[in-house]
Amino acid sequence: MKIATFLMFFMAVLSIKSCKKDDINIAESTLATSSDYLVFGYVGLGRICGANVIYKIEQGKLYADTSRVFCKNQENYQFSGYQLPDSEYQKAKVFVSSFPAELTKESSKTFGCPGCADGGMFFIQLKVSGQEIKTWRIDDAVFRSDNDVINQPFPAYLAKYGKTVADVFSEIKY
């Protein structure tokens, strides 16, 4: 009986540990090949669309797009930027290391009401080899609240991610 109890406990610990490891592997392997990348940025919407900078993490490097073309054609946005120093990449790694595995299971979609009440959005685009590009538009309230501007709750994993990465935007020097 003790052996059976020990085996059940051991299997439970292994399954919990493997889930955490899978989450980490998703984040680490997300940008493993030359075709994999994570694009992200804060975009002011409302009356005047303004994307000061959109970032891209690819192959352990951070790039910045300051062209402001995002607002002209959001649906067909193509990143075009320049490489930033490694010190800035070190700051931005949190976008990958804390990237919620649950979000990778979501198809491209909008969370909340980006642009409502002249607010903005957190824009994320993910390309992982063998999969289609996924794009998420998230109400910028995710940086400070568990609910969007019309008081609808964000998924818990998304609210946590938004609060984790909120300050990094102002720390990166482009």
Side-chain angles (χ1 to χ4, degrees), residues 89-113:
Y89 168 70
Q90 295 303 320
K91 296 172 190 175
K93 281 193 329 186
V94 69
F95 285 92
V96 176
S97 64
S98 63
F99 196 87
E102 297 91 340
L103 189 55
T104 63
K105 296 172 186 155
E106 294 277 355
S107 57
S108 294
K109 69 186 276 186
T110 299
F111 292 92
C113 189

Side-chain angles (χ1 to χ4, degrees), residues 70-99:
F70 178 84
C71 294
K72 293 179 184 170
N73 194 359
Q74 293 180 28
E75 295 304 316
N76 296 311
Y77 171 71
Q78 296 286 319
F79 184 91
S80 175
Y82 55 92
Q83 186 175 338
L84 296 176
D86 188 57
S87 58
E88 301 310 308
Y89 168 70
Q90 295 303 320
K91 296 172 190 175
K93 281 193 329 186
V94 69
F95 285 92
V96 176
S97 64
S98 63
F99 196 87

Side-chain angles (χ1 to χ4, degrees), residues 11-38:
M11 294 301 286
V13 169
L14 275 180
S15 67
I16 291 169
K17 185 165 177 64
S18 70
C19 289
K20 292 182 186 256
K21 185 167 178 34
D22 287 347
D23 289 351
I24 292 168
N25 284 341
I26 288 170
E28 290 172 355
S29 69
T30 298
L31 313 173
T33 69
S34 60
S35 65
D36 299 343
Y37 61 82
L38 176 68

Side-chain angles (χ1 to χ4, degrees), residues 11 23 40 42 54-55 70 72 86-87 91-92 108 118 128 138 141 156 162-163 166 173:
M11 294 301 286
D23 289 351
F40 59 93
Y42 172 76
I54 304 275
Y55 297 101
F70 178 84
K72 293 179 184 170
D86 188 57
S87 58
K91 296 172 190 175
S108 294
D118 286 343
V128 179
I138 306 163
K163 291 172 191 162
K173 305 295 181 225

